[in-house]
Amino acid sequence: MSFYLKDPQATVDYAIDWALYLDGKAIVASAWSVAPAEAGGVAVEEASFDGTRTAVRASGGRAGHVYSLANQIALSDGSSDQRSVTLRVEQR
């Protein structure tokens, strides 16, 4: 898990490099979610992935709130995994 500060007006890219954990497998699907889901909260603008890395562009958020930006992946051998990024939104 990683921790980042984010301004509520900023749109920022975050990435997870999964290469060390894949043991020869490849990422075949990736989905991002935000918790808590709330009005004015952090939103996923767009997401992408390749064989070893996932990325997301996040916007918004309410100052003083903390969000978990979770990435669930499916792998070429049928297994799955999840990692998350913690965002604390602060006026900067």
Side-chain angles (χ1 to χ4, degrees):
M1 178 170 57
S2 301
F3 180 83
Y4 298 97
L5 290 176
K6 183 192 172 308
D7 185 276
Q9 273 65 34
T11 300
V12 184
D13 295 328
Y14 300 97
I16 298 175
D17 185 351
W18 295 83
L20 293 175
Y21 308 103
L22 297 179
D23 195 30
K25 298 171 268 197
I27 298 170
V28 297
S30 172
W32 290 87
S33 60
V34 179
E38 62 182 358
V42 169
V44 172
E45 295 294 324
E46 60 184 86
S48 63
F49 71 94
D50 61 26
T52 62
R53 183 177 179 274
T54 58
V56 66
R57 179 165 290 162
S59 65
R62 297 173 65 185
H65 290 225
V66 176
Y67 299 89
S68 176
L69 189 56
N71 181 217
Q72 177 79 34
I73 61 168
L75 299 171
S76 55
D77 69 347
S79 64
S80 62
D81 202 350
Q82 181 173 312
R83 298 280 188 276
S84 63
V85 174
T86 300
L87 305 176
R88 178 166 177 86
V89 179
E90 295 292 339
Q91 285 295 138
R92 295 171 66 186

